Amino acid sequence: MDTSLLNEALASKSFDKIADICENLLLQGAAEGIDCQDEWPYAIHLLGHIYNNDINSARFLWKKIPAAIKEGRPEVVAVWRIGQKLWTRDYVGVYEAIREFSWTPEVQPIVASFAELYRKRMFELLLSAYSTISTQDTAQFLGMNENDATNYVLQQGWVLDPASQMLTVKKQAVVTEQKLDPSKLQRLTEYVFHLEH
């Protein structure tokens, strides 16, 4: 089976493409009658779905993985632990699952990239859900210690009340671009012209 597309995606850090590439390779292998279960990169495949925030697909893939693979590859189980934490919305647990395993050099860049992407998603969640939040809660959502989390959000314009250790969330300005449709402008001009004459 030709895994060059997968290798290219990994090398170029195009982790958002991994899940689709893996799915296509599995379909191609099945069509050609190739049994690739023993050497299949299940950890990478699972991470591809997790990276794309497609937990349902990760769950279905996990159910299809043979028991022997689950028992013999602790890294696959560790990746699924991240998926489980996402599934149950255990935001703090996601970071714990990432930190508690020694990832192989092949998988580590994907996990590191996912951790940063996840932190950004959590920051966006905080932006949309809170007007004030404690430094402790912020740290848990961002998977950092309180000092680092506070510094992180202060750089984003949030304000800290040192007495209460509460952060005031600075909402991002919503930029709306008004587009003029030339045909509407032309009709309006013609209408005004007609009224004047």
Side-chain angles (χ1 to χ4, degrees), residues 98-171:
I98 289 169
R99 284 190 294 259
E100 69 186 18
F101 191 81
S102 264
W103 304 100
T104 60
E106 184 180 49
V107 171
Q108 198 282 329
I110 308 167
V111 172
S113 182
F114 169 73
E116 187 56 35
L117 178 66
Y118 183 69
R119 181 170 287 122
K120 288 177 184 174
R121 288 178 189 159
M122 290 297 98
F123 180 75
E124 293 297 321
L125 177 67
L126 294 177
L127 274 176
S128 65
Y130 291 90
S131 57
T132 59
I133 185 171
S134 72
T135 56
Q136 182 180 11
D137 289 345
T138 302
Q140 288 182 336
F141 275 104
L142 298 179
M144 303 173 163
N145 65 46
E146 280 190 54
N147 287 338
D148 291 344
T150 301
N151 290 333
Y152 183 86
V153 297
L154 288 177
Q155 291 174 359
Q156 307 300 319
W158 293 21
V159 179
L160 172 66
D161 176 9
S164 65
Q165 289 297 294
M166 293 296 288
L167 291 157
T168 301
V169 177
K170 180 185 177 199
K171 302 289 183 185

Side-chain angles (χ1 to χ4, degrees), residues 44-196:
I44 290 173
H45 192 168
L46 274 170
L47 275 170
H49 289 303
I50 289 170
Y51 191 90
N52 291 339
N53 205 21
D54 187 0
I55 305 308
N56 278 330
S57 294
R59 277 183 56 230
F60 291 125
L61 176 60
W62 174 254
K63 289 179 181 183
K64 294 189 307 186
I65 297 174
I69 301 291
K70 292 175 184 176
E71 293 167 7
R73 296 191 197 167
E75 191 166 54
V76 173
V77 176
V79 169
W80 178 237
R81 199 166 297 121
I82 296 170
Q84 288 173 310
K85 300 298 181 182
L86 289 167
W87 180 257
T88 59
R89 291 185 171 84
D90 180 357
Y91 304 116
V92 177
V94 171
Y95 296 110
E96 291 169 354
I98 289 169
R99 284 190 294 259
E100 69 186 18
F101 191 81
S102 264
W103 304 100
T104 60
E106 184 180 49
V107 171
Q108 198 282 329
I110 308 167
V111 172
S113 182
F114 169 73
E116 187 56 35
L117 178 66
Y118 183 69
R119 181 170 287 122
K120 288 177 184 174
R121 288 178 189 159
M122 290 297 98
F123 180 75
E124 293 297 321
L125 177 67
L126 294 177
L127 274 176
S128 65
Y130 291 90
S131 57
T132 59
I133 185 171
S134 72
T135 56
Q136 182 180 11
D137 289 345
T138 302
Q140 288 182 336
F141 275 104
L142 298 179
M144 303 173 163
N145 65 46
E146 280 190 54
N147 287 338
D148 291 344
T150 301
N151 290 333
Y152 183 86
V153 297
L154 288 177
Q155 291 174 359
Q156 307 300 319
W158 293 21
V159 179
L160 172 66
D161 176 9
S164 65
Q165 289 297 294
M166 293 296 288
L167 291 157
T168 301
V169 177
K170 180 185 177 199
K171 302 289 183 185
Q172 302 293 331
V174 178
V175 178
T176 56
E177 192 175 305
Q178 188 130 11
K179 296 183 180 180
L180 289 175
D181 181 4
S183 65
K184 288 182 181 177
L185 186 58
Q186 178 65 34
R187 282 193 305 247
L188 180 62
T189 304
E190 290 171 1
Y191 181 74
V192 171
F193 181 76
H194 177 69
L195 288 175
E196 290 178 350

Side-chain angles (χ1 to χ4, degrees), residues 1 3 22 25-30 33-42 66 69 73:
M1 179 179 303
T3 59
C22 287
L25 286 172
L26 276 180
L27 288 173
Q28 178 186 347
I34 299 171
D35 182 18
C36 56
Q37 287 186 1
D38 291 336
E39 70 270 357
W40 187 252
Y42 285 108
I69 301 291
R73 296 191 197 167

